[in-house]
Each structure stands twice: as C-alpha cells, then as structure tokens.
Amino acid sequence: MAGATPATRVIVVSAILLYGVTGLTSSVSAQSRQTYTEALGWYLKSAEAGDPRAQFYFAVAIEQGAHPGRENAEALTWYQRSAEGGFALAQYRLAQILQFGEGIAADPAAARKWYLAASESGVAEAQYNLAIMLERGAGGGRDAAAAIKWFEQAAIGGVAPALLSLGVLIGRGDGAEADPVEALKWLILADNAGLAAASEVLDAVAATLSTEERADAAKRATAWASETSK
C-alpha cells in the first residue's frame, strides 16, 4: 500500500484510537507499555468473545506489529470475523486486502462485496473505491450509473478525487445524461479542492459553455459546498 492512501488513513486513525498519540512514538514509558499490553489483552479477550469492534482493533494491532509473535495472516482472520460481524471499518480494510492481494491472492469480486457493505454504512473511502470498481467493471459488471451514485456519496464524505470523477463522467454522458454545466460544477469543486488534474479538464469544458452557463455552474458549486459543509 503506497503513500497516504485512504487505506493508510484508516490504519493510522485506528492505531491512534488503540494506543493514543504517545503510543505511536518510540520513547514510551514502562508504565505506558504496560497500559498498551493490558489494552491488547482486553482487545484479545473481547475479540475472542465475539465483539466485532475489538476484533477489528486487535487485527490493527497485529498488522501494526504491536503484538509480537502474531502474523498478518491472523490479522486477516480477525478482519474477516469483524467484517462478518458488521463492523464497517473492518469491511473496508478487508476489501482493500482482497482488492490488492495483500499477502493473499487478489479477489476483486469479494473486494467489491465488502466495499459495498462498508459503503452502505457510510465509509466514504469505501464508497470511492467501490465507485472506481463499478466504473471500471472490476470484480463484476460495469455500472457507470451506480459509480456516479457512490462517487457523489464519497464526495459528500470529503473524498476530493470523487469530485473530478463526477465531472468527467457527467461531462461525457457516461452513466447519466451528458450535462456540461453540471460537469463544470464538479470540476470547479475539484479544482477548488486542489486537484491539479482538474484544471485542464475544467478549461476544456468551460470553453464549450456560454458566460451564463459558466456562471450557473459556479453558482451550483458554491451552493453544493455550502450545503455539504453544514
């Protein structure tokens, strides 16, 4: 898993929740280390008792190397149990492992299933990854209309690249009726979010529109940003 991907974000957030900020540094006190050991024991006990949340955090601990002697294959087992128990972050993490074949054979169809489960629970990064798979037809049939739906949900959840994807799909009429004004709205939002790739596409679409249409797109972008920030 490369770079500061959504996957990395989930693992880092999970680690912070598990250990606290000081637990991520190399210089921790003996008392702190004892506290972490006790916490890991609690997570293991709760995980074995069937608590999906504890199963997820225990899997994170294994994957982060915080539980010496336990392998990532065991982490996968706990992610699977947590996902099957309905814990959305586990469903998302399991989907990533299956999509990219992290330590196991890639299984795009299973990944898509778990992304859908996490998406329905509101995990924005899962919604974005699911939309990508739907747009490309990975792990199943291609469905651009469903991709637009999930890109929009991901955009509402703060995943900026989804804004650009919406602009491109709607601009070319892929999955929805072509609407250059609506496409420009999404491209303006993508550009405002700092996506370098949006600028060139934005200029190309804007060049096909009248002054009034460009103003309409800008107004729609402002209204959308205002509404989603509430």
Side-chain angles (χ1 to χ4, degrees):
M1 200 159 35
T5 61
T8 304
R9 288 169 55 189
V10 167
I11 294 303
V12 170
V13 169
S14 302
I16 291 172
L17 290 172
L18 178 58
Y19 307 117
V21 175
T22 57
L24 299 178
T25 68
S26 58
S27 56
V28 294
S29 66
Q31 182 178 359
S32 294
R33 285 194 296 272
Q34 179 62 31
T35 300
Y36 305 146
T37 300
E38 291 172 356
L40 287 172
W42 181 88
Y43 277 117
L44 175 57
K45 183 178 179 180
S46 298
E48 290 175 335
D51 182 341
R53 183 183 179 90
Q55 290 167 345
F56 171 75
Y57 287 120
F58 189 65
V60 170
I62 295 172
E63 196 172 9
Q64 293 292 305
H67 207 307
R70 294 182 181 270
E71 303 295 332
N72 278 0
E74 185 178 356
L76 177 60
T77 297
W78 288 115
Y79 281 133
Q80 180 84 36
R81 292 182 184 179
S82 179
E84 290 172 351
F87 196 64
L89 288 181
Q91 293 167 344
Y92 171 51
R93 181 68 188 115
L94 180 60
Q96 291 175 315
I97 292 169
L98 291 165
Q99 181 183 8
F100 300 109
E102 298 179 30
I104 60 171
D107 188 342
R112 188 156 145 174
K113 180 191 82 169
W114 287 115
Y115 277 136
L116 176 59
S119 294
E120 289 174 339
S121 293
V123 179
E125 289 84 356
Q127 293 166 346
Y128 178 73
N129 287 6
L130 174 62
I132 290 288
M133 296 191 82
L134 289 164
E135 181 188 5
R136 296 176 180 174
R142 186 175 189 272
D143 189 340
I148 287 175
K149 167 193 168 182
W150 289 115
F151 276 134
E152 185 161 3
Q153 289 302 307
I156 292 169
V159 182
L163 299 165
L164 177 57
S165 296
L166 285 164
V168 171
L169 285 173
I170 294 171
R172 69 188 185 205
D174 189 359
E177 184 177 352
D179 185 341
V181 175
E182 184 68 6
L184 184 59
K185 177 192 89 172
W186 292 113
L187 294 168
I188 290 170
L189 289 164
D191 191 51
N192 290 346
L195 296 179
S199 179
E200 185 175 348
V201 185
L202 185 155
D203 290 342
V205 173
T208 68
L209 301 175
S210 67
T211 301
E212 292 76 14
E213 288 171 325
R214 291 196 295 272
D216 184 17
K219 183 178 179 180
R220 293 186 196 185
T222 299
W224 187 89
S226 176
E227 181 64 27
T228 56
S229 67
K230 291 179 181 178

